Amino acid sequence: NGENGKTFFYQCELPYDVTQQNFGDQGYAGYVIADHVKTHTLRGAGVYCYFRDYDVSAQCGFRAPEGEAGVSLQHIFTVFLNGKGS
């Protein structure tokens, strides 16, 4: 779930052939740290999307507990490559 985890460089491309119902509405993300985690470090990460077949809106590329001083995400980004959705 990520407690005491350290990730240095992470790259993820979301699935191409999903729908809004089976992906976007479910709240999936490219990198998820569980809500109960108190310490975690992520440095240098990118989540990319290219929704080839359907109009999909992904809620977020990264998900982490809010307000936890020990959870650090640095130099992260998301990119919509092309296709349908956002």
Side-chain angles (χ1 to χ4, degrees), residues 33-50:
I33 302 168
D35 290 338
H36 67 273
V37 170
K38 303 292 183 204
T39 58
H40 189 96
T41 299
L42 171 63
R43 292 191 183 136
V47 174
Y48 310 86
C49 64
Y50 168 67

Side-chain angles (χ1 to χ4, degrees), residues 2-71:
E3 187 65 63
N4 295 316
K6 291 182 181 180
T7 303
F8 301 93
F9 187 75
Y10 176 83
Q11 186 173 327
C12 172
E13 199 162 328
L14 300 179
Y16 295 169
D17 59 350
V18 294
T19 66
Q20 182 64 34
Q21 292 75 29
N22 71 14
F23 190 82
D25 293 345
Q26 302 300 317
Y28 291 116
Y31 192 93
V32 177
I33 302 168
D35 290 338
H36 67 273
V37 170
K38 303 292 183 204
T39 58
H40 189 96
T41 299
L42 171 63
R43 292 191 183 136
V47 174
Y48 310 86
C49 64
Y50 168 67
F51 298 122
R52 180 187 66 204
D53 301 329
Y54 302 100
D55 209 6
V56 178
S57 178
Q59 296 175 17
C60 62
F62 299 88
R63 194 166 55 240
E66 292 186 37
E68 283 295 339
V71 175

